[in-house]
Amino acid sequence: MSLLTTPLDALHRELGARMVPFAGYEMPVQYPAGIIREHEHTREQAGLFDVSHMGQVVIEGPGTAALLERLVPADVQGLAANGQTYALLTNEEGGVRDDLIITRWSEERFFLVVNAACKAEDLAYLEASLAGQKLTVLDDRALLALQGPAARAVLSALAPDLARMPFLRGRETEIEGATCYVTCSGYTGEDGFELSVPAASAEAVARRLLAAPSVAPAGLGARDSLRLEAGLCLYGHELDAETNVVDAGLYWSVGKARRPGGEREGGFPGANAVFHRKAEGPAQRRVGLRVEGRRPVRDGQPLFANSGEEVGVITSACYGPSAGGPIAMGYVAAAYSDNATPLEAEARGKRLPVTVAPMPFIPQRYYRG
Amino acid sequence: MSQAPEELSYARSHEWARLEEDGTVTVGISDHAQDALGDVVFVELPEDGAELAAGDEAGVVESVKAASDIYAPIGGTVIATNGALEETPETVNADPYNDGWFFRLKPTDTAELEQLLDAAAYRQHCSEDS
């Protein structure tokens, strides 16, 4: 199967990107600056990411909010216009089909951004589950993420109406003559924006953003180390069909109105499994891990208690440039999930001391207005 | 394009070997290898005194995204290792043929160097590799 390309493909190549196959797309994993420098630049100034491989979907029609709540535990009906929420497509066992961002464009119009790797399955599921609603895949739009402490000043210079837009809000605006939908969100722990841009204008918008001295291109490699430092989950690593929402530490994403005793209690797939797990307490928990020394650990490696008992597994790992050393996320038995619990990872036949650590690994710097 | 100095010998597994004036052989990884790995964050070196045969595992180099074994390009006894890489593994990226060296061997048989690729053959190997 041939790989798809994003509307920024030519620009990536011009910038000297190393392209790799990812979720059916050719994507830039890094530019000549390298993953660590791109990561640091995003924390210090601003990084521009092409995330056009992600699925952009609009669902509209009478009663869409209530129908979406039959698929996700988030408080969709409670979203204000241009409000945004993190959401999970749960399954009947309380596991996760995908995680996504839902933005309420208007009363009966919702904009969903789903993971690239889950896109085809999500669309089939949404079409089957929301048969009466109009579903439109925005495959004629690019998605750019501008992330970092300088992002707001750079973007506001082009679209002054974004200057004070807080975290998890969105609005339609003009950039380089193109009508874009911009949300204050991201995957780095920094203040920043995601821009849904018509494909034909994507390169012009990207070039305009890159023209700012504080903006540098950043690839998927930096995106992964930034999100791991920010303590954010990656579907297929921390989240999958078998992992309960509560074990993943994502019960916060169950809207208050959707919880036991709430006005719209349950009603999403696996609600009983999630509430039951919440009441009894999880057998395993998602935790952050700091690695002693410099040797990195890798996802899939087992974790051991000092007794020698295998108590967990690493699900994501990287060198954290801003954390100042190797870090990881993983699942461990609840009894070993307290902060500062000493564990050992097994990396290439060697046991490495690791310690359960609070997440995020770096302070989040979202702009809340 | 990555560099491959003429005076070095190269293994297909992307280590270089340099015969020094005192008869010892210095080993590192090529510019092509460091570029393919990306930012190096950790290097494991062999023990001083280790006896290695050509092709033996001699260490590990880990980048942000991947771990890669390092092999001895020729046989010999390890007589020195570049301890500075423990604190500054990024030197492997910055200067792979000089300050980024990995270890030095007292070779069992310097004739083994002739089994390695010369710079032109190595560049050809890299272009086929990518």
Side-chain angles (χ1 to χ4, degrees), chain A residues 166-234:
Chain A
F167 188 53
L168 297 181
R169 299 287 299 178
R171 68 183 297 150
E172 198 174 88
T173 191
E174 296 283 316
I175 300 174
E176 288 290 285
T179 303
C180 303
Y181 192 83
V182 180
T183 64
C184 180
S185 60
Y187 201 38
T188 61
E190 300 296 327
D191 185 25
F193 301 87
E194 291 191 351
L195 296 75
S196 175
V197 184
S201 303
E203 189 175 314
V205 171
R207 284 185 190 278
R208 186 67 195 266
L209 295 171
L210 288 168
S214 56
V215 178
L220 292 184
R223 182 170 159 84
D224 191 53
S225 55
L226 288 158
R227 72 94 194 164
L228 181 47
E229 283 187 344
L232 301 170
C233 294
L234 175 59

Coordinates of all heavy atoms in Angstrom, one line a residue, chain A residues 166-234:
Chain A
P166 N -8.5 31.3 25.6 CA -8.0 30.4 26.6 C -8.0 28.9 26.2 O -8.6 28.6 25.2 CB -8.9 30.6 27.8 CG -10.2 31.0 27.3 CD -9.9 31.7 26.0
F167 N -7.3 28.1 27.0 CA -7.2 26.7 26.8 C -8.5 26.1 26.6 O -9.5 26.4 27.3 CB -6.5 26.1 28.1 CG -6.1 24.7 28.0 CD1 -5.3 24.2 26.9 CD2 -6.5 23.8 29.0 CE1 -5.0 22.8 26.9 CE2 -6.1 22.4 28.9 CZ -5.4 22.0 27.9
L168 N -8.6 25.2 25.7 CA -9.8 24.4 25.4 C -11.0 25.3 24.8 O -12.2 25.0 25.0 CB -10.3 23.6 26.6 CG -9.3 22.5 27.0 CD1 -9.9 21.7 28.2 CD2 -8.9 21.6 25.8
R169 N -10.6 26.4 24.1 CA -11.6 27.2 23.4 C -11.1 27.2 21.9 O -10.0 27.0 21.6 CB -11.7 28.6 24.0 CG -12.1 28.6 25.4 CD -13.6 28.3 25.6 NE -14.4 29.3 24.9 CZ -15.8 29.2 24.9 NH1 -16.4 28.2 25.5 NH2 -16.5 30.1 24.2
G170 N -12.1 27.5 21.0 CA -11.7 27.6 19.6 C -12.5 28.7 19.0 O -13.4 29.3 19.6
R171 N -12.1 29.1 17.8 CA -12.8 30.1 17.0 C -12.3 30.0 15.5 O -11.2 29.7 15.2 CB -12.7 31.5 17.5 CG -11.4 32.2 17.5 CD -11.4 33.5 18.1 NE -12.3 34.4 17.5 CZ -13.0 35.4 18.1 NH1 -12.9 35.6 19.4 NH2 -13.8 36.2 17.4
E172 N -13.3 30.5 14.7 CA -12.9 30.6 13.3 C -12.2 31.9 13.0 O -12.7 32.9 13.6 CB -14.2 30.5 12.4 CG -14.0 30.2 11.0 CD -15.3 29.9 10.3 OE1 -15.9 30.9 9.8 OE2 -15.8 28.8 10.3
T173 N -11.2 31.9 12.2 CA -10.5 33.2 12.0 C -9.8 33.1 10.6 O -9.7 32.0 10.0 CB -9.5 33.4 13.1 OG1 -9.0 34.8 13.0 CG2 -8.3 32.5 13.1
E174 N -9.4 34.3 10.2 CA -8.7 34.4 8.9 C -7.2 34.4 9.1 O -6.7 35.2 9.9 CB -9.1 35.7 8.1 CG -10.5 35.7 7.8 CD -10.9 34.9 6.5 OE1 -10.1 34.9 5.5 OE2 -11.9 34.2 6.6
I175 N -6.4 33.5 8.4 CA -5.0 33.6 8.5 C -4.5 33.5 7.0 O -4.8 32.5 6.3 CB -4.4 32.4 9.3 CG1 -4.9 32.5 10.8 CG2 -2.9 32.5 9.3 CD1 -4.5 31.4 11.7
E176 N -3.7 34.4 6.6 CA -3.2 34.4 5.2 C -4.3 34.3 4.2 O -4.2 33.6 3.2 CB -2.2 33.3 5.0 CG -0.8 33.5 5.7 CD 0.0 34.7 5.0 OE1 0.5 34.4 3.9 OE2 0.0 35.8 5.6
G177 N -5.5 34.9 4.5 CA -6.6 34.9 3.6 C -7.4 33.6 3.6 O -8.4 33.4 2.9
A178 N -7.0 32.6 4.5 CA -7.7 31.4 4.5 C -8.6 31.3 5.8 O -8.2 31.8 6.9 CB -6.7 30.2 4.6
T179 N -9.8 30.7 5.7 CA -10.6 30.6 6.8 C -10.2 29.3 7.6 O -10.3 28.2 7.1 CB -12.1 30.5 6.4 OG1 -12.4 31.6 5.6 CG2 -13.0 30.4 7.6
C180 N -9.7 29.5 8.8 CA -9.1 28.5 9.6 C -10.0 28.3 10.9 O -10.6 29.3 11.3 CB -7.7 28.7 10.0 SG -6.6 29.1 8.6
Y181 N -10.0 27.1 11.4 CA -10.6 26.9 12.7 C -9.4 26.7 13.7 O -8.7 25.7 13.5 CB -11.6 25.8 12.8 CG -12.4 25.9 14.1 CD1 -13.5 26.8 14.2 CD2 -12.0 25.2 15.2 CE1 -14.2 26.9 15.5 CE2 -12.7 25.3 16.4 CZ -13.7 26.1 16.5 OH -14.4 26.3 17.7
V182 N -9.3 27.5 14.7 CA -8.1 27.5 15.6 C -8.6 27.2 17.0 O -9.6 27.8 17.5 CB -7.4 28.8 15.6 CG1 -6.2 28.7 16.5 CG2 -6.9 29.1 14.1
T183 N -8.0 26.2 17.6 CA -8.3 25.9 19.0 C -7.1 26.1 19.9 O -5.9 26.0 19.4 CB -8.8 24.5 19.3 OG1 -7.8 23.6 18.9 CG2 -10.0 24.2 18.4
C184 N -7.3 26.5 21.1 CA -6.2 26.6 22.1 C -6.0 25.2 22.7 O -6.7 24.9 23.7 CB -6.4 27.7 23.1 SG -5.1 27.9 24.3
S185 N -5.1 24.4 22.2 CA -5.0 23.1 22.7 C -3.6 22.5 22.1 O -2.9 23.2 21.4 CB -6.1 22.2 22.2 OG -6.1 22.2 20.8
G186 N -3.3 21.3 22.5 CA -2.1 20.7 22.0 C -1.7 19.5 22.7 O -2.5 18.9 23.5
Y187 N -0.4 19.1 22.5 CA 0.0 17.8 23.0 C 1.4 17.9 23.6 O 2.2 16.9 23.5 CB 0.0 16.8 21.8 CG -0.1 15.4 22.1 CD1 -0.9 14.8 23.1 CD2 0.6 14.5 21.3 CE1 -1.0 13.5 23.3 CE2 0.5 13.1 21.5 CZ -0.3 12.6 22.5 OH -0.4 11.2 22.7
T188 N 1.7 19.1 24.1 CA 3.1 19.3 24.6 C 3.1 19.8 26.0 O 4.2 19.9 26.6 CB 3.7 20.4 23.7 OG1 3.0 21.6 23.9 CG2 3.8 20.0 22.3
G189 N 2.0 20.2 26.6 CA 2.0 20.7 28.0 C 2.2 22.2 27.9 O 2.2 22.9 29.0
E190 N 2.5 22.8 26.7 CA 2.7 24.2 26.6 C 1.4 24.9 26.2 O 0.5 24.3 25.6 CB 3.8 24.5 25.6 CG 5.1 23.9 25.9 CD 5.8 24.4 27.1 OE1 5.6 25.6 27.4 OE2 6.5 23.7 27.8
D191 N 1.4 26.3 26.3 CA 0.4 27.1 25.7 C 0.6 26.8 24.2 O 1.7 26.7 23.7 CB 0.6 28.5 26.0 CG -0.5 29.4 25.4 OD1 -1.6 28.9 25.2 OD2 -0.2 30.6 25.2
G192 N -0.5 26.8 23.4 CA -0.4 26.6 22.0 C -1.7 26.4 21.3 O -2.7 26.5 22.0
F193 N -1.6 26.2 20.0 CA -2.8 26.2 19.2 C -2.8 25.0 18.2 O -1.7 24.6 17.8 CB -2.9 27.5 18.4 CG -3.0 28.7 19.3 CD1 -1.8 29.3 19.8 CD2 -4.2 29.2 19.8 CE1 -1.8 30.4 20.6 CE2 -4.2 30.3 20.6 CZ -3.1 30.9 21.1
E194 N -4.0 24.6 17.8 CA -4.1 23.7 16.7 C -4.9 24.4 15.6 O -6.0 24.9 16.0 CB -4.7 22.3 17.1 CG -3.7 21.6 18.0 CD -4.0 20.1 18.2 OE1 -5.1 19.7 17.9 OE2 -3.1 19.4 18.8
L195 N -4.5 24.3 14.4 CA -5.1 25.1 13.3 C -5.6 24.1 12.2 O -4.8 23.4 11.6 CB -4.1 26.1 12.7 CG -3.5 27.2 13.5 CD1 -2.4 26.7 14.4 CD2 -2.9 28.2 12.5
S196 N -6.9 24.1 12.0 CA -7.4 23.3 10.9 C -7.5 24.3 9.7 O -8.2 25.3 9.8 CB -8.8 22.8 11.3 OG -9.4 22.2 10.2
V197 N -6.7 24.0 8.7 CA -6.5 24.9 7.6 C -6.9 24.2 6.3 O -6.5 23.1 6.1 CB -5.0 25.3 7.5 CG1 -4.7 26.3 6.5 CG2 -4.5 25.7 8.9
P198 N -7.5 24.9 5.3 CA -7.8 24.3 4.0 C -6.5 23.8 3.4 O -5.5 24.6 3.4 CB -8.4 25.5 3.2 CG -9.0 26.4 4.2 CD -8.1 26.3 5.4
A199 N -6.5 22.6 2.8 CA -5.2 22.1 2.3 C -4.5 23.0 1.4 O -3.3 23.1 1.4 CB -5.6 20.7 1.6
A200 N -5.3 23.7 0.5 CA -4.6 24.6 -0.5 C -3.9 25.7 0.2 O -3.0 26.3 -0.4 CB -5.7 25.1 -1.4
S201 N -4.3 26.1 1.4 CA -3.6 27.2 2.1 C -2.6 26.8 3.1 O -1.9 27.6 3.8 CB -4.7 28.1 2.8 OG -5.6 28.6 1.9
A202 N -2.5 25.5 3.3 CA -1.7 25.0 4.5 C -0.2 25.4 4.4 O 0.4 25.9 5.3 CB -1.8 23.5 4.5
E203 N 0.3 25.3 3.2 CA 1.8 25.7 3.0 C 2.0 27.1 3.3 O 3.0 27.5 3.9 CB 2.3 25.2 1.6 CG 3.8 25.3 1.6 CD 4.4 24.8 0.3 OE1 4.0 23.7 -0.2 OE2 5.2 25.5 -0.3
A204 N 1.1 28.0 2.7 CA 1.3 29.4 2.9 C 1.2 29.8 4.4 O 1.9 30.6 4.9 CB 0.2 30.2 2.1
V205 N 0.2 29.2 5.1 CA 0.1 29.4 6.6 C 1.3 28.9 7.3 O 1.9 29.6 8.1 CB -1.2 28.8 7.1 CG1 -1.2 28.8 8.6 CG2 -2.4 29.4 6.5
A206 N 1.8 27.7 7.0 CA 3.0 27.2 7.6 C 4.2 28.1 7.4 O 5.0 28.4 8.3 CB 3.3 25.8 7.1
R207 N 4.4 28.5 6.1 CA 5.5 29.4 5.8 C 5.4 30.7 6.6 O 6.4 31.2 7.1 CB 5.6 29.7 4.3 CG 6.1 28.5 3.5 CD 6.3 28.9 2.0 NE 6.6 27.7 1.2 CZ 7.8 27.2 1.1 NH1 8.8 27.7 1.7 NH2 8.0 26.1 0.3
R208 N 4.2 31.2 6.7 CA 4.1 32.5 7.4 C 4.4 32.3 8.9 O 5.1 33.2 9.5 CB 2.6 33.0 7.3 CG 2.3 34.3 7.8 CD 3.1 35.4 7.0 NE 3.1 36.7 7.8 CZ 2.2 37.6 7.6 NH1 1.2 37.5 6.8 NH2 2.3 38.7 8.4
L209 N 4.0 31.2 9.5 CA 4.4 31.0 10.9 C 5.9 30.7 11.0 O 6.5 31.2 12.0 CB 3.6 29.7 11.4 CG 2.1 29.9 11.5 CD1 1.4 28.6 11.8 CD2 1.7 31.0 12.5
L210 N 6.4 30.0 10.1 CA 7.9 29.7 10.2 C 8.7 30.9 10.0 O 9.9 30.9 10.3 CB 8.3 28.6 9.2 CG 7.8 27.2 9.5 CD1 8.0 26.3 8.3 CD2 8.5 26.6 10.7
A211 N 8.1 31.9 9.3 CA 8.9 33.2 9.1 C 9.2 33.9 10.4 O 10.1 34.8 10.5 CB 8.1 34.1 8.1
A212 N 8.4 33.6 11.4 CA 8.6 34.3 12.7 C 9.9 33.7 13.3 O 10.1 32.5 13.3 CB 7.5 34.0 13.7
P213 N 10.8 34.6 13.8 CA 12.1 34.1 14.3 C 12.0 33.1 15.4 O 12.9 32.3 15.6 CB 12.8 35.4 14.8 CG 12.1 36.5 14.2 CD 10.7 36.1 13.9
S214 N 10.9 33.2 16.2 CA 10.8 32.3 17.3 C 10.2 30.9 17.0 O 10.1 30.0 17.8 CB 9.8 32.9 18.4 OG 8.6 33.2 17.8
V215 N 9.8 30.7 15.7 CA 9.2 29.4 15.3 C 10.1 28.6 14.5 O 10.8 29.0 13.6 CB 7.9 29.7 14.5 CG1 7.3 28.4 14.1 CG2 6.9 30.5 15.3
A216 N 10.2 27.3 14.9 CA 11.0 26.3 14.2 C 10.2 25.1 13.9 O 9.3 24.8 14.8 CB 12.3 25.9 15.0
P217 N 10.4 24.4 12.8 CA 9.7 23.2 12.6 C 10.1 22.1 13.6 O 11.2 22.0 14.0 CB 10.1 22.8 11.2 CG 11.4 23.4 10.9 CD 11.4 24.6 11.8
A218 N 9.1 21.3 14.0 CA 9.4 20.2 14.9 C 8.6 18.9 14.4 O 7.5 19.0 13.9 CB 8.9 20.5 16.3
G219 N 9.3 17.8 14.5 CA 8.7 16.5 14.0 C 8.0 15.7 15.0 O 7.9 16.0 16.2
L220 N 7.7 14.5 14.5 CA 7.0 13.5 15.4 C 7.8 13.1 16.6 O 7.3 12.7 17.6 CB 6.5 12.3 14.6 CG 5.4 12.5 13.6 CD1 5.0 11.2 12.9 CD2 4.2 13.2 14.2
G221 N 9.1 13.1 16.4 CA 10.0 12.6 17.5 C 9.9 13.6 18.7 O 9.7 13.2 19.8
A222 N 10.0 14.9 18.4 CA 9.8 15.9 19.5 C 8.4 15.9 20.0 O 8.2 16.0 21.2 CB 10.2 17.3 18.9
R223 N 7.4 15.7 19.1 CA 6.0 15.6 19.6 C 5.9 14.5 20.7 O 5.2 14.7 21.7 CB 5.1 15.3 18.4 CG 3.7 15.3 18.7 CD 2.9 15.3 17.4 NE 1.5 14.8 17.5 CZ 0.5 15.5 17.9 NH1 0.7 16.7 18.2 NH2 -0.7 15.0 18.0
D224 N 6.6 13.4 20.4 CA 6.4 12.3 21.4 C 7.1 12.6 22.7 O 6.6 12.3 23.8 CB 7.0 11.0 20.8 CG 6.6 9.8 21.6 OD1 5.4 9.6 21.9 OD2 7.5 9.0 22.0
S225 N 8.3 13.1 22.7 CA 9.0 13.4 23.9 C 8.3 14.6 24.7 O 8.3 14.6 25.9 CB 10.5 13.7 23.7 OG 10.7 14.7 22.8
L226 N 7.8 15.5 24.0 CA 7.0 16.6 24.6 C 5.8 16.1 25.3 O 5.5 16.4 26.5 CB 6.7 17.7 23.6 CG 7.9 18.5 23.1 CD1 7.5 19.2 21.7 CD2 8.2 19.6 24.1
R227 N 5.0 15.2 24.6 CA 3.8 14.7 25.2 C 4.1 13.8 26.4 O 3.3 13.8 27.4 CB 2.9 14.0 24.2 CG 3.3 12.7 23.7 CD 2.7 11.5 24.4 NE 3.4 10.3 24.0 CZ 3.3 9.2 24.7 NH1 2.6 9.1 25.7 NH2 4.0 8.1 24.3
L228 N 5.2 13.0 26.3 CA 5.5 12.1 27.4 C 5.9 13.0 28.7 O 5.5 12.7 29.8 CB 6.6 11.2 27.0 CG 7.1 10.1 28.0 CD1 6.0 9.5 28.8 CD2 8.0 9.1 27.4
E229 N 6.7 14.0 28.5 CA 7.1 14.9 29.6 C 5.8 15.5 30.2 O 5.7 15.8 31.4 CB 8.0 16.0 29.2 CG 9.5 15.5 29.0 CD 10.4 16.7 28.7 OE1 10.0 17.8 28.4 OE2 11.6 16.4 28.9
A230 N 4.8 15.8 29.3 CA 3.6 16.4 29.8 C 2.6 15.4 30.4 O 1.6 15.8 30.9 CB 2.9 17.1 28.6
G231 N 3.0 14.1 30.4 CA 2.2 13.1 31.1 C 1.0 12.7 30.3 O 0.0 12.2 30.9
L232 N 1.0 13.0 29.0 CA -0.2 12.7 28.2 C -0.1 11.3 27.5 O 0.9 10.9 27.1 CB -0.3 13.8 27.1 CG -0.5 15.2 27.7 CD1 -0.4 16.3 26.6 CD2 -1.8 15.4 28.4
C233 N -1.3 10.7 27.4 CA -1.4 9.3 26.9 C -1.2 9.3 25.4 O -1.7 10.2 24.7 CB -2.7 8.7 27.3 SG -2.9 8.5 29.0
L234 N -0.7 8.2 24.9 CA -0.7 7.9 23.4 C -1.5 6.6 23.2 O -1.1 5.6 23.7 CB 0.7 7.8 22.9 CG 0.9 7.4 21.5 CD1 0.2 8.4 20.5 CD2 2.4 7.3 21.1

